[in-house]
Amino acid sequence: MAIEVRIPTILRTYTDGAKAVEGNGATLADLLRDLDSRHNGIRERIVDGDELRRFVNVYLNDEDVRFLDGISTELSDGDSITILPAVAGGAAGAKPRPAGVVAGRREGMR
């Protein structure tokens, strides 16, 4: 059973730069163990214990596995898995700008 797994840029160091790899498994958990056997260390970046990490999103054929059976989601031959780490921005402790203030402009500049 071949399943395509799309790898985000941040995890490509584990796949020698490959954007996508193939794996096998009856469930997402099995697939991640299979991937880790060939791309050592990748599983621990996606899974914490027996659950998906909080800030890692995994999609089965464009559907979020958290709304299916999570790491126990069953897979079929030809499925496509996409791994997307959540991305956040902003500075810790940053205060919101007052209404009407545009980022990058200093007071008195137009």
Side-chain angles (χ1 to χ4, degrees):
M1 165 174 10
I3 298 164
E4 179 188 48
V5 182
R6 291 184 217 134
I7 307 295
T9 304
I10 197 164
L11 295 179
R12 290 182 191 160
T13 56
Y14 295 95
T15 61
D16 295 322
K19 294 179 181 182
V21 295
E22 285 199 359
N24 297 295
T27 65
L28 179 57
D30 295 339
L31 173 70
L32 293 174
R33 279 191 290 276
D34 177 61
L35 287 180
D36 201 59
S37 71
R38 287 175 281 112
H39 307 287
N40 190 33
I42 196 168
R43 182 181 181 279
E44 69 187 45
R45 300 289 299 196
I46 301 166
V47 176
D48 185 14
D50 290 327
E51 297 295 325
L52 292 173
R53 289 189 175 273
R54 184 174 175 195
F55 297 108
V56 175
N57 300 309
V58 178
Y59 296 88
L60 167 62
N61 302 324
D62 299 324
E63 191 163 349
D64 191 333
V65 299
R66 292 184 200 279
F67 297 107
L68 300 172
D69 289 324
I71 200 160
S72 300
T73 299
E74 293 186 9
L75 307 176
S76 300
D77 190 33
D79 278 343
S80 176
I81 294 289
T82 302
I83 302 167
L84 287 176
V87 178
K95 296 177 184 171
R97 285 188 289 274
V101 175
V102 178
R105 291 203 180 155
R106 293 191 176 134
E107 192 174 327
M109 296 183 76
R110 298 224 180 242

